[in-house]
Amino acid sequence: PLVSMTEMLNKAKDGGYAVGQFNLNNLEFTQAILMAAEEEKSPVILGVSEGAARYMSGFTTVVSMVKGLMHDLNITVPVAIHLDHGSSYDKCKEAIDAGFTSVMIDASHDPFDVNIETTKKVVEYAHSKGVSVEAELGVVGGQEDDVVAEGVIYADPEECKTLVKETGIDCLAPALGSVHGPYKGEPNLGFKEMEEIGAATGVPLVLHGGTGIPTKDIQKAISFGTAKINVNTENQIASAKAVRETLAAKTEEYDPRKYLGPARDAIKTTVQGKMREFGSSNQA
Ligand code: G3H
Ligand code: ZN
């Protein structure tokens, strides 16, 4: 069923595992992620950035595609459609009105009081529709679509406590050294702050920039209250590699199904591996 993130993340936090958010880019990504979740008996969050939604023609198309696939693929595990890095109240409302079951309001670039005010407004509207809300503090490094960062700023534990208390968000993404896209060298995550923020806020924490984080750090993050881990780049790399290899081996090939099919298989395998690593397999 299509659900919000609230129950799946609270269950994950209590159970000591994390639910993966895997970003959609097109039909094949959506098929692969849903099939992986069903096969793993895992809850799953479908992440949709504003850029990816534009590419797929809009929020309504995304929701219709997901609903259609859930029906045709007989998906029985809990699935959330989540706006990733929502840039404004209006964008969040637009996604909710189109049928998204969860939104992230990313006002982390605004002054703290503005972030609180915007987030509060989103929570009010979202909760009235049974939709969950994620908010962010600090700055995740790297780039993902429209979200570009010059450097990395660690979230402040005091501000995290205030934000959660004032807004009633369902989960919090404190930026603690993670990066969108590949890491240059080993990631250096602020586990001390993560532990403090997890304990002080009591809400499930979200780790952005899941691509390239070693398993030992994933396990540590989960032990400090991380219940949602976002992965996008790793699936993009796996699918691009499959397309390159297929077309290099068959230079006369032109049927998209012949090279996008292998891309879909590669995404599915990658997602299943993540679900096992995050411990969400067999938790649906
Ligand atoms: O919001 C989505 C993510 O944080 C994905 O990060 O592309 O580095 O895996 P990634
Ligand atoms: Zn992110």
Side-chain angles (χ1 to χ4, degrees), residues 11 19 30 38 41 43 58 67 110 138 169 172 175 226 232 264:
K11 247 183 91 186
V19 180
T30 316
E38 189 63 25
K41 292 276 157 263
K67 283 185 175 166
D110 285 332
I169 49 171
L172 173 70
T226 296
N232 183 26
R264 183 174 64 192

Side-chain angles (χ1 to χ4, degrees), residues 21-23 47-49 82 84-85 104 134 136 140-141 143-144 147 178-183 206-213 228-236:
Q21 173 195 301
F22 303 100
N23 285 54
V48 183
S49 70
H82 177 73
D84 192 25
H85 295 282
M104 172 184 187
E134 169 183 342
E136 177 170 311
V140 177
Q143 172 166 10
E144 182 181 52
V147 185
S178 64
V179 167
H180 288 137
Y183 287 84
V206 182
L207 180 57
H208 281 253
T211 297
I213 298 180
K228 173 176 182 270
I229 301 173
N230 294 2
V231 177
N232 183 26
T233 304
E234 199 158 325
N235 285 325
Q236 294 186 331

Side-chain angles (χ1 to χ4, degrees), residues 20-41:
Q21 173 195 301
F22 303 100
N23 285 54
L24 307 186
N25 291 277
N26 60 14
L27 173 74
E28 283 79 5
F29 271 76
T30 316
Q31 291 173 315
I33 296 162
L34 286 174
M35 290 191 285
E38 189 63 25
E39 223 170 282
E40 289 299 312
K41 292 276 157 263

Side-chain angles (χ1 to χ4, degrees), residues 112 137-138 154-165 172 174-176 190-202 205:
F112 186 52
L137 272 174
Y154 280 47
D156 173 56
E158 273 312 308
E159 286 192 353
C160 289
K161 229 181 1 189
T162 310
L163 182 76
V164 171
K165 216 171 70 196
L172 173 70
L176 294 170
F191 286 114
K192 202 176 80 58
E193 293 88 344
M194 196 186 288
E195 186 173 22
E196 195 181 335
I197 293 164
T201 62
L205 302 183

